[in-house]
Every structure is written in structure tokens, then in C-alpha cells.
Amino acid sequence: MHLSATDRTIALAVREFAEFTTGPSRSGAVRFDPQRARLGQVWHDELRRQTTTDRPDAAFEVPLDCTLAIGGWSIRLTGRIDQVLPATAPASAGPEGEKPSGAIVREVKTVMRPLPVAEDDLRSEYRSYFLQLAAYQCLHVPANGGRDGPLAGELVFVEPATGFVQVVPQSGAVAEELFHARLGELRAFADGRLAGLERLRNLSFRPAFATPRPGQETVLDDLRAAAARSPVVLFEAPTGFGKTGCALEYALEELRTGRLTRLIYLTGKSTGQLQVVRQLSHMVGHPPGATWWQIRNKGEHCVNEVYHCFRDACRFLDGQEERWPGSGLQRFAHDASLPRDLETLRAAGREACICPYEITRATLPFTDVWIADYNYLFSPHNRTFLGEMPGFEPEHTLLVIDEAHNLPARVADAYSSELDHVAARRVLGALDVVGAPAAFLSAWEALVLFLARIEPADTLDPLLEAELLDHLAAIHRLLEGAVLDFTALGPAASETLFLAASLHDSSERGSRALPELVWSPARGVIAFTCLDASEAIADTLREYGHVVFLSATLSPVEVFERQCGLGRIGVEPAFLAARTPWRDAAYTVAVDARVDTRYDKRSRWFATTAATIVALHTAGDGPVVAFFSSYAYAEKVLGELDARHPAVRPVLQPRTRDLAAQTAFLEDALAFSDVILLVLGSSFAESIDLLGGRVSGAVVVGPALPEVNAVQRARLTALRGRTRDEAFREVYQIPGMVKVNQALGRLVRAPGHRARVILHCRRFAELSYQRLLAPEYQMGETLADDADFARWLGR
């Protein structure tokens, strides 16, 4: 849908018109249907052949393009009608005065359920199909121009598994009622969107910072100047600079001027989303002049004990469309003063018996700022959630991508999948329990036996890969016609089934065309690992009118641009680096060249590493933090600390993703511990901003280079056009040093903060690693022996 408030025009396809809704959608209730488009085309072709035989004068794929004037809006509808049967003259032997039979409009739809079905049930479950037919009935003008009101219509349902056809007629009067009701809904939405944009023209908001820090004074002018050079801006500023506030102030100004109509703010972690919410709440006041919504994943919204999103399994989904108009939940779209936290949504959903996720979905079209995870735009499984929102126009949207250094890896993960023998075997048992068809059981059992034969390998043998695709194709084909009880199967088994079918479907559609390694990381496991997501990232970015990347670690910029496919979108990005004079002397850094922390050498230095951490703590006046490349490494040194330094109180970060638990751990550790052991790249090291000004020093125990495995070797091989050193730098050194820079950046977050840092590995003295450190960490003194170390500590 294209909606222009400037010239009050709306353009959309008839199918979009039919599916348009500002209430709950039926997506949570639709059963898995992996090849609907292909099946639909097969049956369209077959019914066309049959119709041509019976009615040689029939027309097919009849184009429609018309414009209507409704309430000050110009609405353009386009589409193609499956079949039009022209009016027929009465037989010569017919009754005197018999009138010709009018033209008939037909739509053909395949449905993945047994037919026949009561007509009322079909009208309820497939309402958008009848609306699409109604639009064609009301808008199509026969070639002879003769018509008296809407044409008669027929919806032709086809069950692909059996070929059974059920025809449901729709009168012109019913069509007219449906069509004009939908036009009224569309107009009301457009009026509401226009009012929202006019509200933004009068938007007032507080500056992000009452008193700018040194370096912040010109950042808004710098952002405007960068945007004038390019619609893609790379903004690099250290942790603590206030990137979030600066970006939001710039974005709100863009919304107020009308240059852009919506802001999407993406982050890779929930901590970043919460910071955006806090900053926005401070800036826009209460009630806010601009509205925002933090989009959490569907599972977090769920109010059932078990998350299993099928209509038959959830009373909140079943029938929610009928309950919505009287639920009062539209208040969340129109009253910006209401709280919008998850507990409020769950409580409202329980009371109205409507899925809380659908409250979020129904509210977003009326909201100015969308705050979400990367997956909502860049995952092939989730991107349609926002992409199909009514009135959403990426070309008029400002897209801000925070912590952007994580984007290439996160998108690659979204395009990667694994098939596991253990999970597949559990599905086999579940299929047997629910009485799945024998042919489907047999096909799935063949896949289980195949996976059981798989041994670890850096690449899957081509013959095995071909055999795997044959198994997936058989499952996919049988799933099209099988009637499975997904509610009884349960969430885990259903997801594994969907994964297998989607792997075949994505191969058929060519979406596995991204560079990919098919390999086996463990016995019975086959992994489809995306090696380079740059093309997928570029395909998304080119849709947007303005994109701003934010991170403390975009450098080396040329590598980041390549990994995000920015060279593919036809514009030269503008790079902006923030000035932060208050950080210039905030770090005292030394490179500890006494030890070598490479995997095969680190064990001989465990005692030295523990002693170094204790010495830094003893020389300071507060707790110190030690960053490690892995849990296993940290646990080894923790053992040394406990054994050799019993007077010191060390603590190791827990293995938890719960944000509240992470925050509570760090607060307790800062209050009651001497040494805090954290893992580079984890939320503790990259997302939770509690360390700034509260630790006296830090030890970085080696650069956190990625594990040497089949994936990294494949990525090295893929960089054939570069020297081995250049490839090693991109695949190993840059990701590892980004984690180091991210962790150290959180030690100094405001003017006046100071930190003593020991880079604990001789590799940090090598020029190739030094150049990848942020400028304020470079050129530290190199400590060659214990005497150097003692002297440096005593300064």
C-alpha cells in the first residue's frame, strides 16, 4: 500500500485491499503451507483448461486498474481477475422475454483443508477471499460496457490433495456491501494516518541532553550535513557518547519537518531497546507528542502456559476477529498516554480474550516510532510482520540501526539452520502418536535414519547433500496433502517439521543462494550456515529512504561496508566520527607481553594471569574486571584465583540471558567482589552499562578471536581475492578486536572516568592488532618482564 498524505492518494493491489485490517490478523491461525503459490498456479492452469473447454469465450487474468474518489482521497486499485465469463444470450427455445445471463467474475483459491465445507464457515475463515472477489465484482466493466451494478461472482475453492472443487456464489448485492464497508475502513485509516502526520508537524520535544558534553555540541549539524551528502550515514561514537539520544533528537526533527513519516529503531539486544524507550520517554514528555512502540517477540506476549501458536490450541486466537470491535483495545492505538509494557498488554489480552501480540500488530500502523530487534526487518522468517503493516512506506522511513557492528553476523544467523537427528527422532514418535498418514511417517522415518548416518564433516559430501534434498522434497510433497494435528503434535515437533519443509522450500525458491556451507558440526547434525549475508542486508536497505548506522566500532569502515553490502545499493555512504576529547587521557594502557594466550599455549600461563589480575586489584582502589574469550578460559583462571589467592573475592558471570538477573549480578559483584570475570562478546561485556566509573581497572586476557572451525575456514576460502593476511584479518582479527574495543569502551562513559587497562597477551603488541584497537587504547607501554610490570603498577 502506498499512502501519500501530501496529495491524499492511496494506491494498493486488490489483494492488499482485501487483506487490509486494523485489527487482528489471521496469521496465527493459518496452518503451515510451504508452496501455496506454486500449487495455486497449477490449479489455476487446470481450471483455465476446463473453463476454456466449456466456455471458449471466457477471459483469463483480466487486468484491472481503476481510481475511486472517496472522502477527499483518490484510491487506485490494481489487480488481475482470474476468470470472467461474458454474459450469455438465452437459448432460442427459452421463455418469451427471458433476459440474458449476466457476466460472472471468478476467483480461484487453493485451501489446505478438506472440502466440502459449510459455506458460512468458508465465508468466516476466508473473508479476505470474498472481499477480493467483491472488489472485482464491483469494479470490472465488461468489454461491451453493459452492466447494471456489481456483477455476479463465484469463489472457486480447490483442495489440492484430492482435486475436489467447491464453488461458492456471491451476489452483486453482497459484493457491494462488502466492498463499500472495506472502502470505509480504508478511508478511516487514511484519515487517522493523516491526522497523525499533522500532529507530528506540531511536535515539541526536549533536547536529548540539557547540557551537551564536549563533542556533542555540533553533532546534530554534523548528522544533517552527512545526510545531505548521502541517504546512508555511518555514525561512529564511543560508548557513553550519547549516540541514542543524538540519533533520536535528529530523527524527531526529521519527523517534525515532514521529510520522513516514521522512525524504525533497531537494536540487537533488549538492553538497547530499553535505553531507547527511556530516552524517548524523557524527550517527548507525557502525554507524548510522538508515539512509540517497543515490539517484543511473539513468545514474550503469550499468555498461555505453553507457547504454541495455532488457532485450535489457543482460545485467544480462535474467534478474536469477531471479539475485536467490541474489545476496546483500539485505545492503545489512539491514546498515547496508556502504558504499553508487556504486563499491561497481557492483562488487556486476557480480559478481552485476544492475543496480546495482535494488540501490538493492530497498534503499530498508528505509531510513529517502532523499536525492535534486527530480526523484524532482516530475518526471512519475521520481516513480513512490519513489511505488511497498512500504510508502511519504507521509502519515507528513517531506519536507525544501533550496535550496527553486530548486524552482519546476526543476519547470517537468521539465514542459517540446523537439522538434528535427536529432534527428528522425537518428531517421529509424536507423528506416530497423533496417527499421521503412513506415507508421511515413512518419509519422516527415512529422514531420521539418514541423519543417524551423518558423521562430523567440514563439508557435506555432495551425494549425501543430494540425498538429503530428496528426503526433504518427499516430506514437503506429502505435507502438502497431509492433514496433521499440529495442536496435538506440540510446539517442538511442529517447529522441526516446519524447518524441514522450509529448507526444501527455500532451496526451490533460490533463497539459499547466499554463500552457504552445508556441513556437520556433530554426529547426526547437518548445518546450513550462511557465510555472507551482505546481499540480503543490501536488499533490505535499498528499500529505505534514509538509513543511519550507529556503533562504537564501525571501523575498519571499508570492511563493515562490504559485510553490509553497501556497495550494492548504489549510494556512497557518509562516514561521521564523533569528537570525544574527554576520553583522550582517560585510559592508561599497557600491553603485557610476558604471556601468550593462544589456545595451545595459554595453560602454561594460568597462574600468571591470575596473579596479574590480583596485582591490578591490589594497586587500585576498587574492583577490577577481567575479560576472557570464553567461559572455559575464565573458569580455569577462576580456579587459580581460588587456589592461590584465597583472600581475593572473585566472581564469574552466570550463564543467563535474563536482563534483570544480569543487572542484579553486576550490581552485587560491584558491591561485594574484588574481581569480576566476564566473557568478551556477551551481554555483560557489550550491553550492560554499569561498569563506567565503578571499576579501577581491567585485564583483557587475549584478543577474542573466533573459534577455528569449518565455518571460519570456509569464510577464509571465500575471500580468495585477498592475501592470506587480509583474509585472516577480516575473518578472525577484526571480529575479535571489535569485542575488545566494545568491552573497554564501557569502562569510561562520562567525563572524569578513568581506567587502567592491561592487554594481557603479546599479540596485542603486534602492529596488525594494534591498528585494530580504538585510538585511545593504542600505543600503550609494552611490558616485557615482571620488573616492567611492577614498575607500571607502581606509577
Side-chain angles (χ1 to χ4, degrees):
M1 176 193 295
H2 176 86
L3 187 153
S4 172
T6 305
D7 54 10
R8 296 177 66 91
T9 60
I10 306 171
L12 69 169
V14 171
R15 182 172 180 177
E16 289 180 288
F17 175 81
E19 294 175 351
F20 170 81
T21 179
T22 56
S25 77
R26 297 188 62 87
S27 59
V30 176
R31 59 156 291 184
F32 186 68
D33 190 3
Q35 267 193 321
R36 186 65 162 275
R38 185 181 65 81
L39 280 173
Q41 188 58 52
V42 168
W43 281 102
H44 275 67
D45 293 344
E46 172 60 22
L47 292 176
R48 176 172 182 164
R49 184 189 62 78
Q50 295 177 16
T51 302
T52 301
T53 301
D54 297 336
R55 291 288 304 272
D57 57 347
F60 303 93
E61 299 295 323
V62 178
L64 182 142
D65 187 339
C66 66
T67 301
L68 307 173
I70 305 290
W73 290 90
S74 176
I75 303 175
R76 182 184 179 190
L77 290 165
T78 57
R80 286 186 176 273
I81 306 171
D82 287 340
Q83 299 182 8
V84 176
L85 308 184
T88 59
S92 58
E96 186 176 351
E98 182 179 344
K99 295 181 179 179
S101 300
I104 297 175
V105 173
R106 279 182 179 172
E107 273 296 294
V108 178
K109 300 293 185 183
T110 54
V111 292
M112 307 303 290
R113 62 173 297 172
L115 295 175
V117 175
E119 287 190 9
D120 286 346
D121 291 343
L122 289 174
R123 293 182 190 279
S124 173
E125 185 167 355
Y126 301 105
R127 187 167 184 267
S128 67
Y129 293 170
F130 287 93
L131 267 162
Q132 186 175 353
L133 176 62
Y136 289 139
Q137 290 176 255
C138 292
L139 298 176
H140 176 64
V141 178
N144 60 14
R147 57 173 284 165
D148 183 16
L151 303 176
E154 292 178 348
L155 203 54
V156 182
F157 289 98
V158 185
E159 181 189 347
T162 62
F164 188 91
V165 174
Q166 182 175 353
V167 179
V168 180
Q170 181 163 270
S171 70
V174 169
E176 188 168 32
E177 182 180 353
L178 289 174
F179 179 65
H180 285 285
R182 178 51 49 89
L183 277 178
E185 294 170 8
L186 183 60
R187 175 195 168 184
F189 170 76
D191 287 342
R193 186 71 183 127
L194 179 60
L197 296 176
E198 290 173 348
R199 168 180 45 79
L200 286 177
R201 301 302 163 267
N202 299 308
L203 175 64
S204 63
F205 54 90
R206 300 186 186 96
F209 309 102
T211 303
R213 289 178 181 172
Q216 290 178 344
E217 306 95 332
T218 64
V219 70
L220 288 178
D221 288 336
D222 294 339
L223 279 169
R224 294 185 198 105
R229 298 196 304 273
S230 173
V232 178
V233 176
L234 311 180
F235 180 28
E236 184 176 72
T239 299
F241 176 83
K243 293 186 294 296
T244 298
C246 294
L248 288 174
E249 188 169 345
Y250 169 75
L252 292 174
E253 185 179 271
E254 289 293 291
L255 293 179
R256 181 167 59 188
T257 63
R259 285 188 288 266
L260 295 163
T261 61
R262 180 172 275 119
L263 165 64
I264 298 180
Y265 199 112
L266 299 184
T267 73
K269 295 184 173 71
S270 57
T271 49
Q273 295 173 32
L274 294 175
Q275 171 61 22
V276 177
V277 169
R278 286 193 294 268
Q279 186 73 57
L280 266 177
S281 299
H282 164 74
M283 294 174 68
V284 300
H286 190 82
T291 56
W292 53 263
W293 197 279
Q294 183 187 4
I295 308 168
R296 309 295 284 269
N297 68 55
K298 186 182 286 190
E300 289 183 271
H301 286 79
C302 187
V303 291
N304 294 314
E305 290 185 7
V306 177
Y307 171 62
H308 190 36
C309 199
F310 284 89
R311 186 171 296 263
D312 292 344
C314 179
R315 65 186 180 90
F316 296 92
L317 285 173
D318 192 22
Q320 64 178 340
E321 298 87 355
E322 289 73 29
R323 293 189 294 274
W324 176 264
S327 68
L329 294 174
Q330 299 92 332
R331 64 185 183 272
F332 287 101
H334 303 297
D335 186 350
S337 66
L338 293 175
R340 301 175 176 197
D341 58 279
L342 278 177
E343 283 308 313
T344 297
L345 294 183
R346 291 194 194 104
R350 287 191 191 97
E351 182 180 356
C353 197
I354 287 174
C355 172
Y357 193 63
E358 294 302 325
I359 303 174
T360 290
R361 184 197 297 272
T363 301
L364 286 174
F366 303 94
T367 306
D368 306 314
V369 181
W370 298 346
I371 305 163
D373 184 87
Y374 299 148
N375 282 341
Y376 279 94
L377 283 189
F378 291 98
S379 167
H381 309 295
N382 302 100
R383 60 182 302 170
T384 57
F385 178 82
L386 294 182
E388 294 179 353
M389 285 291 160
F392 173 42
E393 296 183 285
E395 64 271 24
H396 295 146
T397 297
L398 169 57
L399 173 60
V400 175
I401 302 173
D402 205 352
E403 299 296 332
H405 60 279
N406 289 320
L407 183 66
R410 280 289 307 276
V411 181
D413 287 345
Y415 280 85
S416 302
S417 306
E418 274 192 4
L419 278 177
D420 181 351
H421 167 256
V422 174
R425 189 175 58 200
R426 289 175 181 153
V427 173
L428 183 64
L431 288 170
D432 187 43
V433 168
V434 301
F440 191 82
L441 265 174
S442 178
W444 192 265
E445 184 177 22
L447 175 64
V448 172
L449 294 174
F450 170 81
L451 290 173
R453 293 163 32 209
I454 297 298
E455 296 291 338
D458 282 1
T459 59
L460 197 65
D461 181 274
L463 292 177
L464 287 175
E465 186 174 347
E467 185 179 349
L468 170 63
L469 293 177
D470 286 342
H471 287 302
L472 296 177
I475 289 167
H476 185 271
R477 183 180 64 254
L478 291 165
L479 189 60
E480 292 173 354
V483 179
L484 298 178
D485 187 344
F486 291 105
T487 301
L489 277 172
S494 297
E495 286 303 314
T496 304
L497 275 173
F498 296 170
L499 170 63
S502 68
L503 283 170
H504 168 79
D505 190 45
S506 58
S507 297
E508 286 283 290
R509 290 185 284 104
S511 58
R512 305 209 73 83
L514 297 177
E516 182 179 67
L517 175 67
V518 184
W519 63 301
S520 175
R523 186 173 183 180
V525 178
I526 295 177
F528 297 76
T529 303
C530 177
L531 300 175
D532 180 1
S534 60
E535 184 176 349
I537 295 173
D539 285 345
T540 297
L541 294 179
R542 65 168 54 96
E543 299 174 5
Y544 285 82
H546 188 11
V547 182
V548 177
F549 291 91
L550 305 178
S551 176
T553 50
L554 294 176
S555 300
V557 174
E558 72 280 1
V559 174
F560 177 79
E561 290 182 3
R562 184 166 60 250
Q563 291 177 342
C564 290
L566 300 187
R568 301 172 184 265
I569 62 178
V571 298
E572 182 70 26
F575 178 68
L576 173 62
R579 294 186 311 105
T580 52
W582 48 274
R583 289 174 60 88
D584 292 345
Y587 290 88
T588 303
V589 181
V591 175
D592 190 352
R594 299 174 300 156
V595 301
D596 189 338
T597 63
R598 276 175 281 214
Y599 184 79
D600 58 344
K601 296 179 173 62
R602 63 181 56 159
S603 60
R604 72 184 70 169
W605 304 106
F606 286 159
T608 302
T609 298
T612 300
I613 295 169
V614 171
L616 183 63
H617 165 64
T618 302
D621 57 358
V624 298
V625 62
F627 295 105
F628 292 84
S629 57
S630 69
Y631 268 101
Y633 198 173
E635 286 168 346
K636 291 291 186 182
V637 174
L638 178 62
E640 291 287 337
L641 289 168
D642 288 337
R644 297 174 181 266
H645 306 277
V648 174
R649 299 169 298 173
V651 62
L652 173 63
Q653 73 173 64
R655 295 175 183 266
T656 177
R657 293 186 177 184
D658 182 77
L659 178 59
Q662 291 177 350
T663 302
F665 162 77
L666 273 184
E667 290 288 3
D668 287 346
L670 288 166
F672 303 112
S673 300
D674 301 318
V675 175
I676 307 169
L677 282 65
L678 304 179
V679 177
L680 289 164
S682 68
S683 295
F684 291 93
E686 286 200 21
S687 297
I688 302 176
D689 296 321
L690 296 177
L691 300 179
R694 301 177 69 182
V695 295
S696 61
V699 180
V700 180
V701 186
L705 303 191
E707 175 189 0
V708 177
N709 60 22
V711 174
Q712 308 308 335
R713 286 191 288 269
R715 287 185 171 133
L716 280 176
T717 302
L719 297 173
R720 293 188 184 92
R722 300 177 183 87
T723 67
R724 180 167 180 79
D725 286 347
E726 289 172 339
F728 180 78
R729 175 175 179 264
E730 183 164 336
V731 173
Y732 286 99
Q733 288 181 307
I734 290 175
M737 296 302 288
V738 162
K739 293 178 182 179
V740 171
N741 286 328
Q742 282 284 322
L744 292 180
R746 280 168 163 74
L747 304 181
V748 173
R749 291 187 49 81
H753 289 177
R754 297 287 185 269
R756 302 184 80 187
V757 175
I758 298 173
L759 302 175
H760 187 67
C761 180
R762 60 189 55 159
R763 280 178 290 175
F764 285 119
E766 297 175 16
L767 190 58
S768 61
Y769 288 91
Q770 277 282 317
R771 286 174 172 168
L772 292 174
L773 285 166
E776 52 266 44
Y777 318 139
Q778 293 181 13
M779 308 308 293
E781 181 180 352
T782 298
L783 311 177
D785 52 32
D786 291 347
D788 284 348
F789 179 61
R791 176 179 50 77
W792 183 83
L793 280 180
R795 289 195 314 183

